[in-house]
Amino acid sequence: MPPGIGSLESLQKLSLVKASKKIIRELGNSVQLRKLGITKLESGHGRDLCASIQNMEDLSSLHVSSTNEEEFLALDDVSRSPRLPCSLYLGVRLQYIPQWISSVHSLAKICLKGSKLLNCPLEAIQALPSSLELRLVDVYIGEELKFKSNRFQKLVILEIRTIQ
């Protein structure tokens, strides 16, 4: 990624960007970004990524992944979540589902991969009214996922897998 990516204020789509602290901070200037895909995140990138995401009011798709399956990525420092996300892919190890996700009512596609949570992830996401697609891959290391009745009423696709 060339230096100065943050000066592209009108940029709307950016995918497969290899994370670095500098690039993540510069992305906060790309306030018109609608789709963001960032890879190779490390545990120290969480706070800066959250600060940049807060500035992206038109963000409709967020795809983040990390390289280290054992490092936790904290994504809970978002005080003002984007208004429009329709698609969310988190391919990172999490200690818990970030609270801001449950306030994004337009979220239609959710994919969580490799989180290996100790607590059931459904509590944080099952009240989202627009969920059409839910993919949980290696997300929960507990015994069972408990779906409450009258939740996920629009759900069309449900995928639950464990990678061995």
Side-chain angles (χ1 to χ4, degrees), residues 11-15 27 30-38 49-64 78 80-90 100 104 106-107:
L11 187 65
Q12 293 187 14
K13 182 177 180 181
L14 186 61
S15 296
L27 286 175
S30 300
V31 295
Q32 293 184 30
L33 209 57
R34 294 181 185 277
K35 294 185 179 190
L36 174 62
I38 189 160
L49 180 60
C50 289
S52 291
I53 289 170
Q54 287 183 152
N55 295 334
M56 301 172 190
E57 292 185 8
D58 296 329
L59 191 66
S60 65
S61 176
L62 178 62
H63 181 115
V64 298
V78 175
R80 182 177 47 95
S81 63
R83 293 177 297 152
L84 302 174
C86 295
S87 177
L88 176 66
Y89 173 90
L90 297 179
W100 62 270
V104 183
S106 60
L107 201 51

Side-chain angles (χ1 to χ4, degrees), residues 33-45:
L33 209 57
R34 294 181 185 277
K35 294 185 179 190
L36 174 62
I38 189 160
T39 64
K40 301 192 182 211
L41 287 159
E42 298 174 1
S43 62
H45 292 147

Side-chain angles (χ1 to χ4, degrees), residues 23 39 44 63 69 82 98 126 132-133 145:
I23 287 173
T39 64
H63 181 115
E69 295 178 3
Q126 65 187 348
L132 298 172
E133 184 176 323
L145 289 170

Side-chain angles (χ1 to χ4, degrees), residues 7 10 17 19 24 30 48 51 67 79 104 115 122 150 161:
S7 64
S10 297
V17 176
I24 293 168
S30 300
D48 291 329
T67 53
S79 59
V104 183
S115 301
L122 296 176
N150 296 324
R161 287 191 297 138

Side-chain angles (χ1 to χ4, degrees), residues 88-90 108-115 121 125 132-139 145 152 155-161:
L88 176 66
Y89 173 90
L90 297 179
K109 295 181 181 180
I110 306 166
C111 180
L112 304 175
K113 183 177 181 184
S115 301
I125 59 176
L132 298 172
E133 184 176 323
L134 177 61
R135 298 180 188 274
L136 304 174
V137 180
D138 224 10
V139 170
L145 289 170
F152 296 113
L155 200 63
V156 176
I157 297 171
L158 174 62
E159 176 184 356
I160 302 172
R161 287 191 297 138

